[in-house]
């Protein structure tokens, strides 16, 4: 072998070496984790379904509902659930220090309107109001399933699940032959919010005296299957979302194409990371929030005081003489969310040397926001340094980057809502392609790197 030149040696010493995560990970482990995640992703498509499944997993692993215990002990595991939309999994080790990983369980989709049943031009329709930052035209011409929760007049709760195995719904786009005017529109106007109505039925109920015959036929079907009347949709939480299971993508099967990687890749990775974690000297908490996609508002969004209430409960149950603010100050949090990977077809929106790449490990994002780091958490140098040192010590494949070019756009996560209480927080999760599209792409190596990062963070103290 020829000797390295002085320049090569200097480069090696001074420049960052970026390598694909497969150099650091076991291929069998990566694949096994990916298959389990795919099943989770295919089966859980609403925030409630995700939380219900996580609670079941936690109970199976011996976590006790904190609402039913008289005290908490070091080494024991607990969970706190709120309205099937907020969840905390806790491995308790006192309140001197906490390591928490916080993800969100909601994903962009099309919610049904309060009065969703309609008839238009002889077709039965379901009217929607989109949820989250979607490019509306992407939701046309794909099979949609209807999932969620409703209550009948008698007060019975029904879990609606239509269109996964049986007949699905769809919103057809305008044919190109007649799209002369449509194609001149800006992309955001190509299909308007009020045009996001799914075709749901076509055969009329035959009764001359009835006006909306197809709407009636549609209402009858929903009533037969779930006992629902039109009024019951007012209080329901029903979503139209991509039908069918997640699947492998790429000839090397290195990717997963599926609905809701944002943010269920982080949700699943953090849940598995805490379930698998060995106990540490700090308390481990995996937090799951709703409503991130619409700004983390409301009772179950990350701007609420769910973590604060959990801390208060833990203080009381452990008879610890600390104020909640003292616990927050000793809390380190990973805001577990996805970021944007460089897409070769749209690479001009990134600065290539400050971007995240598919397959190069979990992405640590010091800040997001937009317009001069506005509206973001900007993690401290000390915290960044401690985490990257920890990951180097434990062979966790990681990379760092910005969400896109300066002033190209931007985005937020729940990081800043947790940081305001005095905790250390930084964003961390896999970089995905096609974020917020009905089907997003995630690399299996990035998913496993994310799991490994969270698990390492749960198990170890931060290097000084
Ligand atoms: Mn997200
Ligand atoms: Mn999102």
């Amino acid at each position: 072998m020829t000797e390295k030149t002085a320049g090569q040696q200097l480069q090696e010493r001074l420049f960052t070496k970026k390598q694909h995560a497969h150099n650091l990970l076991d291929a069998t482990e990566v694949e096994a984790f990916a298959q389990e995640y795919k099943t989770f992703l295919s089966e859980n498509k609403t925030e409630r379904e995700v939380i219900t499944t996580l609670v079941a997993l936690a109970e199976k692993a011996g976590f006790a509902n904190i609402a039913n215990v008289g005290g908490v002990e070091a080494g024991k595991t607990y969970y706190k659930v709120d309205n099937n939309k907020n969840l905390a999994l806790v491995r308790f080790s006192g309140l001197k220090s906490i390591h928490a990983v916080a993800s969100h369980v909601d994903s962009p989709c099309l919610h049904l309107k309060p009065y969703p049943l309609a008839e238009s031009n002889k077709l039965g329709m379901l009217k929607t109001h989109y949820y989250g930052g979607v490019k509306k035209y992407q939701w046309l011409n794909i099979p949609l399933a209807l999932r969620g929760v409703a209550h009948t007049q008698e007060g019975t709760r029904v879990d609606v699940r239509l269109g996964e195995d049986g007949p699905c719904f769809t919103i057809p786009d305008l044919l190109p032959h007649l799209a002369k005017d449509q194609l001149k529109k800006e992309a955001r106007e190509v299909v308007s919010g009020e045009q996001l109505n799914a075709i749901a039925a076509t055969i009329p109920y035959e009764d001359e005296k009835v006006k909306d015959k197809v709407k009636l036929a549609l209402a009858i079907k929903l009533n037969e299957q779930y006992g629902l009347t039109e009024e019951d949709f007012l209080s329901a939480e029903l979503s139209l979302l991509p039908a069918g299971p997640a699947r492998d993508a790429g000839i090397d099967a290195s990717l997963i194409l599926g609905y809701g990687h944002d943010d269920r890749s982080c949700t699943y990775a953090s849940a598995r990371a805490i379930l698998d974690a060995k106990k540490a000297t700090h308390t481990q908490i995996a937090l799951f929030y709703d409503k991130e996609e619409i700004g983390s508002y409301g009772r179950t969004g990350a701007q609420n005081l769910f973590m604060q209430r959990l801390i208060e409960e833990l203080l009381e149950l452990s008879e610890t003489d600390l104020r909640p603010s003292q616990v927050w100050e000793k809390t380190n949090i990973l805001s577990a969310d996805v970021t944007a990977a460089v897409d070769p077809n749209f690479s001009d929106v990134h600065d290539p040397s400050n971007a995240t790449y598919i397959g190069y490990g979990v992405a640590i994002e010091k800040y997001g926001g937009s317009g001069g780091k506005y509206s973001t958490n900007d993690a401290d140098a000390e915290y960044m340094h401690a985490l990257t040192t920890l990951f180097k010590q434990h062979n966790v494949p990681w990379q760092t980057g910005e969400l896109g070019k300066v002033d190209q756009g931007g985005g937020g996560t729940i990081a800043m809502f947790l940081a305001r209480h005095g905790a250390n927080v930084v964003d961390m999760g896999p970089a995905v392609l096609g974020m917020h599209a009905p089907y997003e792409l995630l690399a299996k190596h990035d998913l496993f790197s994310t799991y490994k990062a969270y698990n390492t963070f749960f198990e170890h103290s931060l290097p000084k």
Side-chain angles (χ1 to χ4, degrees):
M1 223 164 69
T2 50
E3 228 171 71
K4 284 175 184 159
T5 63
Q8 281 177 313
Q9 288 174 35
L10 278 166
Q11 207 170 41
E12 227 165 70
R13 188 162 70 81
L14 298 176
F15 286 6
T16 308
K17 197 172 147 216
K18 294 179 180 172
Q19 56 175 335
H20 193 279
H22 81 92
N23 290 318
L24 290 168
L25 300 175
D26 178 89
T28 315
E29 278 185 337
V30 170
E31 186 57 23
F33 192 87
Q35 293 309 325
E36 285 158 14
Y37 168 65
K38 257 167 51 184
T39 305
F40 173 83
L41 195 66
S42 303
E43 287 176 2
N44 300 286
K45 295 192 181 179
T46 69
E47 48 283 342
R48 284 170 188 267
E49 289 169 355
V50 170
I51 297 294
T52 303
T53 296
L54 294 183
V55 168
L57 276 175
E59 282 182 344
K60 206 174 142 209
F63 283 61
N65 190 338
I66 202 162
N68 304 330
V69 299
V72 293
E73 283 172 56
K76 296 268 175 69
T77 51
Y78 308 92
Y79 71 87
K80 175 179 172 65
V81 66
D82 187 8
N83 215 27
N84 267 328
K85 291 178 177 180
N86 276 167
L87 174 68
L89 304 180
V90 182
R91 178 170 284 105
F92 191 69
S93 235
L95 288 159
K96 291 212 175 79
S97 170
I98 293 176
H99 280 203
V101 180
S103 65
H104 67 90
V105 295
D106 58 321
S107 295
C109 61
L110 306 176
H111 283 173
L112 290 200
K113 285 190 177 188
Y115 284 106
L117 310 182
E119 176 164 342
S120 178
N121 293 281
K122 307 186 187 343
L123 295 177
M125 316 288 286
L126 289 174
K127 296 170 81 118
T128 72
H129 192 141
Y130 66 92
Y131 174 86
V134 303
K135 289 162 110 175
K136 296 188 277 287
Y137 64 81
Q138 293 180 333
W139 294 73
L140 308 179
N141 297 322
I142 57 167
L144 296 168
L146 181 67
R147 295 168 73 146
V149 168
H151 292 85
T152 65
Q153 293 292 299
E154 295 74 40
T156 312
R157 177 192 144 140
V158 289
D159 289 298
V160 175
R161 189 183 160 123
L162 286 171
E164 290 290 354
D165 310 312
C168 64
F169 306 91
T170 198
I171 304 170
D173 193 6
L174 181 60
L175 64 168
H177 313 64
L178 298 177
K180 184 167 72 71
D181 296 335
Q182 185 199 31
L183 289 172
K184 286 186 208 144
K185 291 183 180 175
E186 276 189 42
R188 68 169 70 235
E189 304 296 336
V190 162
V191 57
S192 70
E194 285 294 338
Q195 286 174 315
L196 290 175
N197 304 311
I199 309 286
T202 69
I203 305 171
Y205 180 88
E206 289 307 341
D207 182 337
E208 275 184 23
K209 297 261 170 73
V210 170
K211 198 170 140 258
D212 291 328
K213 296 183 176 62
V214 191
K215 177 183 167 183
L216 180 59
L218 171 59
I220 290 169
K221 285 277 182 203
L222 288 162
N223 184 262
E224 282 171 357
Q225 294 200 41
Y226 294 106
L228 298 172
T229 66
E230 188 173 33
E231 200 171 296
D232 301 328
F233 288 89
L234 298 177
S235 59
E237 289 181 354
L238 297 170
S239 307
L240 279 172
L241 34 76
R247 52 188 298 186
D248 284 354
I251 202 165
D252 56 2
S254 59
L255 298 156
I256 302 168
L257 180 71
Y259 166 65
H261 291 317
D262 177 9
D263 187 30
R264 288 157 194 165
S265 54
C266 296
T267 294
Y268 186 73
S270 62
R272 281 288 305 274
I274 196 168
L275 291 173
D276 296 347
K278 293 187 201 75
K279 79 170 171 28
T281 51
H282 51 256
T283 287
Q284 304 159 353
I285 303 179
L287 288 161
F288 306 93
Y289 288 99
D290 179 29
K291 298 281 181 277
E292 191 277 341
E293 297 296 356
I294 55 168
S296 297
Y297 298 102
R299 177 177 163 187
T300 52
Q303 298 207 53
N304 76 10
L305 296 177
F306 182 65
M307 175 69 170
Q308 172 78 15
R309 291 183 321 219
L310 173 66
I311 290 174
E312 287 170 6
E313 236 168 315
L314 290 171
L315 283 169
E316 199 179 315
L317 288 166
S318 62
E319 295 176 14
T320 307
D321 193 20
L322 287 171
R323 293 189 308 275
S325 59
Q326 291 173 303
V327 178
W328 273 107
E329 282 171 1
K330 299 287 180 199
T331 296
N332 294 309
I333 301 180
L334 303 183
S335 163
D337 210 341
V338 301
T339 186
V342 177
D343 180 337
N345 293 322
F346 303 100
S347 59
D348 59 330
V349 300
H350 297 279
D351 163 13
S353 54
N354 282 288
T356 40
Y357 292 85
I358 284 290
Y360 280 70
V362 67
I364 308 175
E365 219 169 66
K366 191 171 180 299
Y367 51 85
S370 60
K373 298 194 178 181
Y374 206 84
S375 246
T376 186
N377 168 62
D378 194 351
D380 292 332
E382 291 79 2
Y383 192 43
M384 285 293 288
H385 180 72
L387 287 168
T388 52
T389 305
L390 179 74
F391 292 162
K392 275 185 247 175
Q393 285 169 354
H394 294 275
N395 286 324
V396 176
W398 62 274
Q399 56 181 327
T400 193
E402 297 186 311
L403 182 60
K405 269 185 183 166
V406 178
D407 287 341
Q408 183 68 43
T413 63
I414 63 175
M416 58 184 170
F417 306 123
L418 300 169
R420 63 163 63 135
H421 298 281
N424 278 320
V425 188
V426 70
D427 282 305
M428 193 180 297
V432 300
L433 292 170
M435 199 201 294
H436 285 202
Y439 301 97
E440 303 170 316
L441 267 178
L442 167 73
K444 293 174 180 176
H445 285 92
D446 294 331
L447 174 68
F448 196 74
S449 303
T450 302
Y451 160 76
K452 210 172 157 180
Y454 298 164
N455 184 256
T456 302
F457 173 76
F458 277 137
E459 290 188 347
H460 299 275
S461 302
L462 293 182
K464 291 277 178 281

